[in-house]
PDB file of all heavy atoms in Angstrom:
ATOM      1  N   ARG A   1      86.290 100.548  98.831  1.00 45.00           N
ATOM      2  CA  ARG A   1      87.151 101.605  99.358  1.00 45.00           C
ATOM      3  C   ARG A   1      88.430 101.090  99.995  1.00 45.00           C
ATOM      4  O   ARG A   1      89.448 101.732  99.956  1.00 45.00           O
ATOM      5  CB  ARG A   1      86.383 102.424 100.414  1.00 45.00           C
ATOM      6  CG  ARG A   1      85.180 103.121  99.848  1.00 45.00           C
ATOM      7  CD  ARG A   1      84.534 103.979 100.935  1.00 45.00           C
ATOM      8  NE  ARG A   1      84.109 103.196 102.088  1.00 45.00           N
ATOM      9  CZ  ARG A   1      82.910 102.609 102.190  1.00 45.00           C
ATOM     10  NH1 ARG A   1      82.043 102.716 101.212  1.00 45.00           N
ATOM     11  NH2 ARG A   1      82.574 101.934 103.268  1.00 45.00           N
ATOM     12  N   GLU A   2      88.376  99.948 100.656  1.00 50.00           N
ATOM     13  CA  GLU A   2      89.450  99.576 101.572  1.00 50.00           C
ATOM     14  C   GLU A   2      90.767  99.247 100.869  1.00 50.00           C
ATOM     15  O   GLU A   2      91.821  99.710 101.259  1.00 50.00           O
ATOM     16  CB  GLU A   2      89.020  98.375 102.421  1.00 50.00           C
ATOM     17  CG  GLU A   2      87.817  98.661 103.314  1.00 50.00           C
ATOM     18  CD  GLU A   2      88.073  99.808 104.264  1.00 50.00           C
ATOM     19  OE1 GLU A   2      89.231  99.976 104.703  1.00 50.00           O
ATOM     20  OE2 GLU A   2      87.137 100.561 104.574  1.00 50.00           O
ATOM     21  N   GLU A   3      90.704  98.449  99.814  1.00 56.00           N
ATOM     22  CA  GLU A   3      91.961  97.994  99.222  1.00 56.00           C
ATOM     23  C   GLU A   3      92.792  99.134  98.632  1.00 56.00           C
ATOM     24  O   GLU A   3      93.980  99.244  98.913  1.00 56.00           O
ATOM     25  CB  GLU A   3      91.681  96.934  98.151  1.00 56.00           C
ATOM     26  CG  GLU A   3      92.974  96.388  97.549  1.00 56.00           C
ATOM     27  CD  GLU A   3      92.705  95.331  96.498  1.00 56.00           C
ATOM     28  OE1 GLU A   3      91.549  94.865  96.406  1.00 56.00           O
ATOM     29  OE2 GLU A   3      93.652  94.981  95.774  1.00 56.00           O
ATOM     30  N   PRO A   4      92.219 100.049  97.829  1.00 55.00           N
ATOM     31  CA  PRO A   4      93.034 101.159  97.315  1.00 55.00           C
ATOM     32  C   PRO A   4      93.588 102.035  98.432  1.00 55.00           C
ATOM     33  O   PRO A   4      94.712 102.514  98.358  1.00 55.00           O
ATOM     34  CB  PRO A   4      92.057 101.931  96.426  1.00 55.00           C
ATOM     35  CG  PRO A   4      91.018 100.936  96.036  1.00 55.00           C
ATOM     36  CD  PRO A   4      90.854 100.057  97.238  1.00 55.00           C
ATOM     37  N   ALA A   5      92.781 102.272  99.485  1.00 54.00           N
ATOM     38  CA  ALA A   5      93.259 103.089 100.608  1.00 54.00           C
ATOM     39  C   ALA A   5      94.423 102.398 101.310  1.00 54.00           C
ATOM     40  O   ALA A   5      95.413 103.036 101.679  1.00 54.00           O
ATOM     41  CB  ALA A   5      92.122 103.347 101.591  1.00 54.00           C
ATOM     42  N   ASP A   6      94.297 101.086 101.490  1.00 62.00           N
ATOM     43  CA  ASP A   6      95.381 100.339 102.139  1.00 62.00           C
ATOM     44  C   ASP A   6      96.649 100.390 101.297  1.00 62.00           C
ATOM     45  O   ASP A   6      97.764 100.549 101.835  1.00 62.00           O
ATOM     46  CB  ASP A   6      94.963  98.883 102.363  1.00 62.00           C
ATOM     47  CG  ASP A   6      93.913  98.744 103.461  1.00 62.00           C
ATOM     48  OD1 ASP A   6      93.757  99.725 104.237  1.00 62.00           O
ATOM     49  OD2 ASP A   6      93.271  97.689 103.538  1.00 62.00           O
ATOM     50  N   ASN A   7      96.493 100.249  99.990  1.00 65.00           N
ATOM     51  CA  ASN A   7      97.670 100.279  99.121  1.00 65.00           C
ATOM     52  C   ASN A   7      98.369 101.631  99.178  1.00 65.00           C
ATOM     53  O   ASN A   7      99.606 101.718  99.218  1.00 65.00           O
ATOM     54  CB  ASN A   7      97.264  99.971  97.676  1.00 65.00           C
ATOM     55  CG  ASN A   7      96.842  98.520  97.501  1.00 65.00           C
ATOM     56  OD1 ASN A   7      97.156  97.678  98.353  1.00 65.00           O
ATOM     57  ND2 ASN A   7      96.115  98.244  96.423  1.00 65.00           N
ATOM     58  N   LEU A   8      97.576 102.705  99.176  1.00 64.00           N
ATOM     59  CA  LEU A   8      98.158 104.035  99.262  1.00 64.00           C
ATOM     60  C   LEU A   8      98.821 104.246 100.623  1.00 64.00           C
ATOM     61  O   LEU A   8      99.922 104.814 100.713  1.00 64.00           O
ATOM     62  CB  LEU A   8      97.078 105.102  99.033  1.00 64.00           C
ATOM     63  CG  LEU A   8      97.533 106.564  99.141  1.00 64.00           C
ATOM     64  CD1 LEU A   8      98.701 106.846  98.202  1.00 64.00           C
ATOM     65  CD2 LEU A   8      96.360 107.507  98.845  1.00 64.00           C
ATOM     66  N   GLY A   9      98.162 103.751 101.678  1.00 63.00           N
ATOM     67  CA  GLY A   9      98.747 103.867 103.021  1.00 63.00           C
ATOM     68  C   GLY A   9     100.073 103.138 103.124  1.00 63.00           C
ATOM     69  O   GLY A   9     101.033 103.643 103.729  1.00 63.00           O
ATOM     70  N   GLU A  10     100.154 101.959 102.506  1.00 77.00           N
ATOM     71  CA  GLU A  10     101.406 101.196 102.543  1.00 77.00           C
ATOM     72  C   GLU A  10     102.505 101.901 101.766  1.00 77.00           C
ATOM     73  O   GLU A  10     103.677 101.908 102.162  1.00 77.00           O
ATOM     74  CB  GLU A  10     101.172  99.800 101.981  1.00 77.00           C
ATOM     75  CG  GLU A  10     100.332  98.919 102.896  1.00 77.00           C
ATOM     76  CD  GLU A  10      99.992  97.588 102.255  1.00 77.00           C
ATOM     77  OE1 GLU A  10     100.473  97.334 101.116  1.00 77.00           O
ATOM     78  OE2 GLU A  10      99.246  96.800 102.864  1.00 77.00           O
ATOM     79  N   ALA A  11     102.114 102.499 100.628  1.00 73.00           N
ATOM     80  CA  ALA A  11     103.111 103.227  99.837  1.00 73.00           C
ATOM     81  C   ALA A  11     103.635 104.432 100.613  1.00 73.00           C
ATOM     82  O   ALA A  11     104.844 104.715 100.615  1.00 73.00           O
ATOM     83  CB  ALA A  11     102.493 103.676  98.513  1.00 73.00           C
ATOM     84  N   LEU A  12     102.738 105.155 101.292  1.00 78.00           N
ATOM     85  CA  LEU A  12     103.168 106.284 102.122  1.00 78.00           C
ATOM     86  C   LEU A  12     104.056 105.809 103.264  1.00 78.00           C
ATOM     87  O   LEU A  12     105.065 106.435 103.594  1.00 78.00           O
ATOM     88  CB  LEU A  12     101.951 107.027 102.671  1.00 78.00           C
ATOM     89  CG  LEU A  12     101.200 107.913 101.666  1.00 78.00           C
ATOM     90  CD1 LEU A  12      99.868 108.369 102.245  1.00 78.00           C
ATOM     91  CD2 LEU A  12     102.044 109.129 101.293  1.00 78.00           C
ATOM     92  N   GLN A  13     103.666 104.690 103.857  1.00 80.00           N
ATOM     93  CA  GLN A  13     104.459 104.140 104.967  1.00 80.00           C
ATOM     94  C   GLN A  13     105.876 103.808 104.517  1.00 80.00           C
ATOM     95  O   GLN A  13     106.857 104.160 105.188  1.00 80.00           O
ATOM     96  CB  GLN A  13     103.784 102.874 105.510  1.00 80.00           C
ATOM     97  CG  GLN A  13     104.602 102.167 106.587  1.00 80.00           C
ATOM     98  CD  GLN A  13     103.969 100.849 107.003  1.00 80.00           C
ATOM     99  OE1 GLN A  13     102.760 100.732 107.067  1.00 80.00           O
ATOM    100  NE2 GLN A  13     104.799  99.850 107.261  1.00 80.00           N
ATOM    101  N   SER A  14     106.013 103.170 103.370  1.00 84.00           N
ATOM    102  CA  SER A  14     107.336 102.810 102.862  1.00 84.00           C
ATOM    103  C   SER A  14     108.168 104.049 102.566  1.00 84.00           C
ATOM    104  O   SER A  14     109.370 104.109 102.861  1.00 84.00           O
ATOM    105  CB  SER A  14     107.210 101.962 101.599  1.00 84.00           C
ATOM    106  OG  SER A  14     106.551 100.745 101.885  1.00 84.00           O
ATOM    107  N   GLY A  15     107.522 105.070 101.984  1.00 84.00           N
ATOM    108  CA  GLY A  15     108.254 106.288 101.646  1.00 84.00           C
ATOM    109  C   GLY A  15     108.734 107.030 102.883  1.00 84.00           C
ATOM    110  O   GLY A  15     109.886 107.484 102.938  1.00 84.00           O
ATOM    111  N   VAL A  16     107.869 107.127 103.892  1.00 89.00           N
ATOM    112  CA  VAL A  16     108.255 107.827 105.125  1.00 89.00           C
ATOM    113  C   VAL A  16     109.358 107.051 105.840  1.00 89.00           C
ATOM    114  O   VAL A  16     110.329 107.632 106.330  1.00 89.00           O
ATOM    115  CB  VAL A  16     107.036 108.033 106.045  1.00 89.00           C
ATOM    116  CG1 VAL A  16     107.475 108.622 107.388  1.00 89.00           C
ATOM    117  CG2 VAL A  16     106.020 108.941 105.383  1.00 89.00           C
ATOM    118  N   ALA A  17     109.223 105.724 105.903  1.00 92.00           N
ATOM    119  CA  ALA A  17     110.238 104.907 106.568  1.00 92.00           C
ATOM    120  C   ALA A  17     111.594 105.054 105.885  1.00 92.00           C
ATOM    121  O   ALA A  17     112.632 105.176 106.551  1.00 92.00           O
ATOM    122  CB  ALA A  17     109.806 103.439 106.582  1.00 92.00           C
ATOM    123  N   ALA A  18     111.587 105.059 104.555  1.00 89.00           N
ATOM    124  CA  ALA A  18     112.850 105.216 103.815  1.00 89.00           C
ATOM    125  C   ALA A  18     113.472 106.582 104.104  1.00 89.00           C
ATOM    126  O   ALA A  18     114.698 106.704 104.246  1.00 89.00           O
ATOM    127  CB  ALA A  18     112.611 105.047 102.321  1.00 89.00           C
ATOM    128  N   LEU A  19     112.634 107.618 104.204  1.00 91.00           N
ATOM    129  CA  LEU A  19     113.131 108.963 104.511  1.00 91.00           C
ATOM    130  C   LEU A  19     113.804 108.980 105.891  1.00 91.00           C
ATOM    131  O   LEU A  19     114.915 109.506 106.044  1.00 91.00           O
ATOM    132  CB  LEU A  19     111.972 109.956 104.474  1.00 91.00           C
ATOM    133  CG  LEU A  19     112.306 111.406 104.847  1.00 91.00           C
ATOM    134  CD1 LEU A  19     113.170 112.049 103.765  1.00 91.00           C
ATOM    135  CD2 LEU A  19     111.027 112.214 105.060  1.00 91.00           C
ATOM    136  N   LEU A  20     113.153 108.402 106.890  1.00 96.00           N
ATOM    137  CA  LEU A  20     113.707 108.392 108.247  1.00 96.00           C
ATOM    138  C   LEU A  20     114.989 107.567 108.311  1.00 96.00           C
ATOM    139  O   LEU A  20     115.974 107.982 108.944  1.00 96.00           O
ATOM    140  CB  LEU A  20     112.680 107.836 109.233  1.00 96.00           C
ATOM    141  CG  LEU A  20     111.378 108.626 109.387  1.00 96.00           C
ATOM    142  CD1 LEU A  20     110.475 107.985 110.432  1.00 96.00           C
ATOM    143  CD2 LEU A  20     111.655 110.073 109.762  1.00 96.00           C
ATOM    144  N   LEU A  21     114.984 106.418 107.684  1.00 96.00           N
ATOM    145  CA  LEU A  21     116.176 105.562 107.694  1.00 96.00           C
ATOM    146  C   LEU A  21     117.366 106.249 107.042  1.00 96.00           C
ATOM    147  O   LEU A  21     118.499 106.191 107.543  1.00 96.00           O
ATOM    148  CB  LEU A  21     115.885 104.244 106.981  1.00 96.00           C
ATOM    149  CG  LEU A  21     115.177 103.156 107.796  1.00 96.00           C
ATOM    150  CD1 LEU A  21     114.750 102.010 106.886  1.00 96.00           C
ATOM    151  CD2 LEU A  21     116.103 102.632 108.893  1.00 96.00           C
ATOM    152  N   SER A  22     117.108 106.901 105.911  1.00 95.00           N
ATOM    153  CA  SER A  22     118.197 107.563 105.186  1.00 95.00           C
ATOM    154  C   SER A  22     118.848 108.639 106.041  1.00 95.00           C
ATOM    155  O   SER A  22     120.085 108.712 106.142  1.00 95.00           O
ATOM    156  CB  SER A  22     117.649 108.172 103.896  1.00 95.00           C
ATOM    157  OG  SER A  22     118.640 108.947 103.249  1.00 95.00           O
ATOM    158  N   HIS A  23     118.059 109.463 106.687  1.00 97.00           N
ATOM    159  CA  HIS A  23     118.615 110.557 107.494  1.00 97.00           C
ATOM    160  C   HIS A  23     119.267 110.027 108.774  1.00 97.00           C
ATOM    161  O   HIS A  23     120.278 110.579 109.230  1.00 97.00           O
ATOM    162  CB  HIS A  23     117.540 111.582 107.816  1.00 97.00           C
ATOM    163  CG  HIS A  23     117.199 112.465 106.661  1.00 97.00           C
ATOM    164  ND1 HIS A  23     118.057 113.439 106.189  1.00 97.00           N
ATOM    165  CD2 HIS A  23     116.100 112.508 105.850  1.00 97.00           C
ATOM    166  CE1 HIS A  23     117.503 114.052 105.151  1.00 97.00           C
ATOM    167  NE2 HIS A  23     116.318 113.505 104.918  1.00 97.00           N
ATOM    168  N   ALA A  24     118.715 108.972 109.346  1.00 97.00           N
ATOM    169  CA  ALA A  24     119.327 108.392 110.538  1.00 97.00           C
ATOM    170  C   ALA A  24     120.690 107.792 110.212  1.00 97.00           C
ATOM    171  O   ALA A  24     121.662 107.948 110.979  1.00 97.00           O
ATOM    172  CB  ALA A  24     118.412 107.317 111.138  1.00 97.00           C
ATOM    173  N   GLU A  25     120.780 107.104 109.071  1.00 97.00           N
ATOM    174  CA  GLU A  25     122.051 106.510 108.667  1.00 97.00           C
ATOM    175  C   GLU A  25     123.094 107.594 108.391  1.00 97.00           C
ATOM    176  O   GLU A  25     124.253 107.485 108.820  1.00 97.00           O
ATOM    177  CB  GLU A  25     121.847 105.648 107.429  1.00 97.00           C
ATOM    178  CG  GLU A  25     123.102 104.923 106.988  1.00 97.00           C
ATOM    179  CD  GLU A  25     122.856 103.990 105.819  1.00 97.00           C
ATOM    180  OE1 GLU A  25     121.846 104.174 105.114  1.00 97.00           O
ATOM    181  OE2 GLU A  25     123.679 103.078 105.614  1.00 97.00           O
ATOM    182  N   THR A  26     122.686 108.643 107.704  1.00 97.00           N
ATOM    183  CA  THR A  26     123.604 109.752 107.422  1.00 97.00           C
ATOM    184  C   THR A  26     124.096 110.388 108.718  1.00 97.00           C
ATOM    185  O   THR A  26     125.283 110.712 108.857  1.00 97.00           O
ATOM    186  CB  THR A  26     122.909 110.811 106.552  1.00 97.00           C
ATOM    187  OG1 THR A  26     122.543 110.215 105.303  1.00 97.00           O
ATOM    188  CG2 THR A  26     123.829 111.993 106.303  1.00 97.00           C
ATOM    189  N   ALA A  27     123.188 110.560 109.686  1.00 98.00           N
ATOM    190  CA  ALA A  27     123.569 111.176 110.959  1.00 98.00           C
ATOM    191  C   ALA A  27     124.560 110.305 111.724  1.00 98.00           C
ATOM    192  O   ALA A  27     125.510 110.819 112.337  1.00 98.00           O
ATOM    193  CB  ALA A  27     122.330 111.418 111.815  1.00 98.00           C
ATOM    194  N   SER A  28     124.380 108.997 111.686  1.00 97.00           N
ATOM    195  CA  SER A  28     125.311 108.096 112.375  1.00 97.00           C
ATOM    196  C   SER A  28     126.699 108.167 111.748  1.00 97.00           C
ATOM    197  O   SER A  28     127.719 108.253 112.452  1.00 97.00           O
ATOM    198  CB  SER A  28     124.795 106.655 112.340  1.00 97.00           C
ATOM    199  OG  SER A  28     123.592 106.529 113.072  1.00 97.00           O
ATOM    200  N   ILE A  29     126.754 108.149 110.441  1.00 97.00           N
ATOM    201  CA  ILE A  29     128.037 108.225 109.739  1.00 97.00           C
ATOM    202  C   ILE A  29     128.706 109.568 110.008  1.00 97.00           C
ATOM    203  O   ILE A  29     129.913 109.645 110.283  1.00 97.00           O
ATOM    204  CB  ILE A  29     127.835 108.009 108.230  1.00 97.00           C
ATOM    205  CG1 ILE A  29     127.356 106.575 107.957  1.00 97.00           C
ATOM    206  CG2 ILE A  29     129.119 108.297 107.462  1.00 97.00           C
ATOM    207  CD1 ILE A  29     126.930 106.336 106.526  1.00 97.00           C
ATOM    208  N   THR A  30     127.920 110.639 109.942  1.00 97.00           N
ATOM    209  CA  THR A  30     128.457 111.980 110.177  1.00 97.00           C
ATOM    210  C   THR A  30     128.970 112.122 111.604  1.00 97.00           C
ATOM    211  O   THR A  30     130.020 112.738 111.842  1.00 97.00           O
ATOM    212  CB  THR A  30     127.376 113.039 109.896  1.00 97.00           C
ATOM    213  OG1 THR A  30     126.924 112.905 108.550  1.00 97.00           O
ATOM    214  CG2 THR A  30     127.919 114.445 110.117  1.00 97.00           C
ATOM    215  N   SER A  31     128.241 111.556 112.560  1.00 98.00           N
ATOM    216  CA  SER A  31     128.663 111.628 113.970  1.00 98.00           C
ATOM    217  C   SER A  31     129.987 110.908 114.179  1.00 98.00           C
ATOM    218  O   SER A  31     130.887 111.426 114.853  1.00 98.00           O
ATOM    219  CB  SER A  31     127.586 111.012 114.870  1.00 98.00           C
ATOM    220  OG  SER A  31     126.369 111.712 114.770  1.00 98.00           O
ATOM    221  N   ALA A  32     130.105 109.724 113.605  1.00 97.00           N
ATOM    222  CA  ALA A  32     131.356 108.964 113.741  1.00 97.00           C
ATOM    223  C   ALA A  32     132.513 109.710 113.086  1.00 97.00           C
ATOM    224  O   ALA A  32     133.630 109.759 113.630  1.00 97.00           O
ATOM    225  CB  ALA A  32     131.191 107.578 113.117  1.00 97.00           C
TER     226      ALA A  32
END
């Protein structure tokens, strides 16, 4: 069970992090 769950968790983590980074970067540029 563990390895597939970990792989899926890492993929979700990367996707969520990319989403947050993208919007934070856009907000900084827009603010400036």
Side-chain angles (χ1 to χ4, degrees):
R1 298 184 300 272
E2 297 302 327
E3 182 179 348
D6 289 344
N7 290 342
L8 178 55
E10 289 174 3
L12 285 169
Q13 175 186 323
S14 297
V16 174
L19 177 70
L20 297 182
L21 278 170
S22 173
H23 284 289
E25 183 176 20
T26 298
S28 295
I29 294 171
T30 302
S31 298

